[in-house]
Amino acid sequence: MSWQPLWQSLRRAIDAERNLGYTDGGVVGGFSAYAYASLAALRQALSAHPGPWGARLALWEGQMSHYRRLTPPERRHVVDQMAQSIGELELELPTTEARKKVSPNPGSDDSSVKKKQHETAPRNLKGPGTAIQFLRGVGPQRAAALKRLGIETIQDLLFHLPHRYIDRSQLLSIAQIRYPGDYNVSGVIRAYQQYNPRRGLAVIKGQLDDGTGLLPIVLFNRKQLTAKYPPGTAVIVSGKVEFRYGKAELHVEEMENQAEAGLHTNRIVPVYPATEGLNQRFLRGLYEQVVPQYAPQMSDIVPKGLDSSTNLPTLNQAVQWVHFPDSLEQAEFGRRKLAFNEAFLLQTAWQFIRRRRNVPIEGIGHKPAQEELNKLWSLLPYELTTAQKRVVREIAADMEANRPMNRLLQGDVGAGKTIVAASAVVKAVASGYQAALMAPTEVLAEQHAISWQRLLAEMAIPVAHLSGSLTRRRKEEVLKGLSEGTFPVVVGTHALLQKEVVFQRLGLVVIDEQHRFGVRQRAALWEKGQQADLLVMTATPIPRTLAMTLYGDLDVSILNERPPGRQEVKTYHVGSDTWPRVYNLIRREVAQGHQAYIVCPAIEESEEMDLAAVEERYGTLTRDVFPDLEVGILHGRMKKEEKAAVMERFYRGNTKVLVATTVIEVGIDVPAATVMVIEGAERFGLAQLHQLRGRVGRGQAQSFCILIADKLSDEGKRRMKAMEGTNDGFRLAEEDLKLRGPGEFLGTRQSGIPAFKVADLVKDADLLEQAKSASELWTAQDPALQRPESRELARKVRETFQGLDLL
């Protein structure tokens, strides 16, 4: 193995140990233990290089062996000396590496053979880490197919779980078959007869005799079974019974010899996620090979002493039970253990991150800035709600503390997150720092920039806007202003993450619609400051179980109160034949001084088709329906200046009806808008429908949301009913999570956090809570995961999360 990755990993560990004040907690499981193992691996990797590296590294290994007994000043001296000494390695060794790469005899057969042997050598020939290719019956071709399922080792195979089970444990006699359905019957094959009704289709009919009667059986294109189980063979047959002209006929799904039955029949049979080139019989054969031998070798990450309190089986039992259950209840019991382990691993990682952040690291202690905040709030045409005041206090306490803030602000649409975030920005600027807000789309960033520019202009706080569509000259002006500090506040998109964006003194990072960014992106902006405070916001109410999974490292504030005077939006589901009545409603509202949105649907995620749909509706409205009104159009293909002009006219009330794609889902705040029409509403999830509805009802007048949808599925009907039934975003979020699952619920998977393979955020809500409590209990006893019983947990946390920059 090359020395560079080992050195880089060790260097990160050294940096973490320094940041934590030499507490031996820079790495899960202990910095000294990790450094000792890394140094040994580094020494081995450098064994072929000339020079005194072996002796030097062995010296530092010895230092690490008694590191925990040293005082903090002594530890600091050891770490600094080790970093300096090993740092020389980075300067001196590249030339050695380069010489090694230039072979004196590039065409040497011996070197190419050795290289080939190295590339094809198995990673591990013992234990659950054994490469799957080396199992009996697999080989390179099937190994490639298994890799498509994410299976590369025996351990991967053991955790590739069935997605359903077929109960073939009950045998019935032929005489007991009375109705169509799934049956398992034992008997003796009496005869076969093959028909070929058309090319490519072989129908084989046979008879099964169990002493109580004869049962016709049918096999389609499975001639190999007739050779394997010839007439006279005692078998167990599973399949679906149909009645033709009053007589039963069994369509064979599985057949096994009675003497060997128990893998595909005569038990609770698992059905696994598969792919081309892998059938269920082959997969079950693999599990028959590996489960008895390797399940007992699995190391449980849940420490002994804690596992007994969970009332769940051991890891060995769980793996046995999910693949070879005696009952469906036993299979579910085993699955719950594996789900618990997944949740426990993630929650432990979050606990470790929180513990690291709570170690006294010098953060920014912002000043109270009460005078500036009072001035900001006096500019508002309303008083802050009780919920807003509570959250402002929570954020203020975080910002004034001498440690970095890490807080998630959740709020339903219209709950007033913008002014809460603006209060944090004013506090940061009043303390002499800069603030940056990152939004996922240009439309949303632009809307934030416009609203903050209006709001903070009275406070004499300039707000810059940075996005990918800026002219080169304007971009250079903004970059210069940020680096020199003349722009105290900037609002932007991913463009803020670029290397050339440098702040003079960044003290607050605000990230909006956090679920659309990955963990690394959140960290990339935060790292542009010096221990800056971090506030992430989402207008998508997130159920507790999902928030616990995605944001376990953050403190949570919730805005669950609507501003006074705002009425609930009346919501109606109608068919497309109701358009004339919808137009009448819009005209009535416009006559009263109000405005309306009409949102056209996304069609197969095609931007071109979205554009065609919105332009067609715009043409109908301007030509046939509202020729006397100003109708605007807004979509993602428009230039930035065009979009800004359209939104400005709508905001000022010149445009009465705005036809748009979902670019207006978040960010546009027009209090005079009272009608939201969503065409093709069946194509949207509950979270997105609720976001769109949140564009109206922002003033004092009664508002309306019209959902136009035809030919609804059962799930679609439940969505429409839920929207009509409540304006509570948190209740809708729970329902959406049940209907569509977390990936669809969020619209995009949060990158940076391993997805659960077993745990279900809806079905396993109780397990997630239990895992969180167990993790808190254990990390309170062993914060750095240094005890012997934490060894496997520490290793797994490192393995799973270290490469994701979470630890």
Side-chain angles (χ1 to χ4, degrees), residues 538-575:
T538 177
T540 302
I542 301 173
R544 174 172 166 75
T545 51
L546 188 54
M548 216 164 55
T549 302
L550 295 182
Y551 310 120
D553 59 328
L554 302 176
D555 298 310
V556 179
S557 292
I558 297 178
L559 285 174
N560 52 3
E561 183 182 351
R562 293 174 64 84
R566 290 193 183 179
Q567 303 180 49
E568 287 201 347
V569 179
K570 291 184 178 179
T571 305
Y572 303 96
H573 164 230
V574 298

Side-chain angles (χ1 to χ4, degrees), residues 261-368:
L263 186 57
H264 311 295
T265 63
N266 202 31
R267 72 173 180 119
I268 306 290
V269 178
V271 180
Y272 297 94
T275 186
E276 186 178 355
L278 301 174
N279 59 40
Q280 294 296 319
R281 293 180 73 90
F282 169 74
L283 288 172
R284 291 181 200 127
L286 287 185
Y287 287 104
E288 187 180 35
Q289 277 191 66
V290 303
V291 170
Q293 180 178 351
Y294 293 99
Q297 298 180 36
M298 300 294 293
S299 298
D300 199 340
I301 62 169
V302 180
K304 287 185 177 178
L306 194 62
D307 56 356
S308 59
S309 66
T310 64
N311 294 320
L312 292 168
T314 65
L315 182 62
N316 176 25
Q317 285 176 320
V319 172
Q320 301 264 3
W321 288 355
V322 293
H323 297 297
F324 293 94
D326 293 331
S327 65
L328 293 174
E329 291 76 18
Q330 193 181 72
E332 172 60 11
F333 203 37
R335 187 202 67 81
R336 281 176 63 82
K337 163 62 179 175
L338 302 181
F340 176 86
N341 277 29
E342 270 192 335
F344 181 75
L345 177 65
L346 180 59
Q347 291 303 324
T348 301
W350 285 142
Q351 290 298 321
F352 185 77
I353 292 170
R354 279 177 171 271
R355 187 189 68 81
R356 280 207 334 194
R357 286 178 175 165
N358 288 331
V359 170
I361 297 174
E362 190 65 27
I364 298 170
H366 295 275
K367 71 177 190 178

Side-chain angles (χ1 to χ4, degrees), residues 759-778:
D760 184 299
L761 290 170
V762 177
K763 183 166 67 174
D764 297 325
D766 64 320
L767 271 183
L768 300 182
E769 294 280 1
Q770 188 181 356
K772 185 172 185 290
S773 298
S775 174
E776 289 171 350
L777 176 66
W778 187 256

Side-chain angles (χ1 to χ4, degrees), residues 138 421 612:
V138 178

Side-chain angles (χ1 to χ4, degrees), residues 409 411-413 417 512-513 515 537-541 666 690-691:
L409 173 57
D412 207 345
V413 288
K417 292 180 299 301
D512 198 18
E513 292 304 302
H515 65 271
M537 305 192 299
T538 177
T540 302
V666 287
H690 184 58
Q691 284 292 326

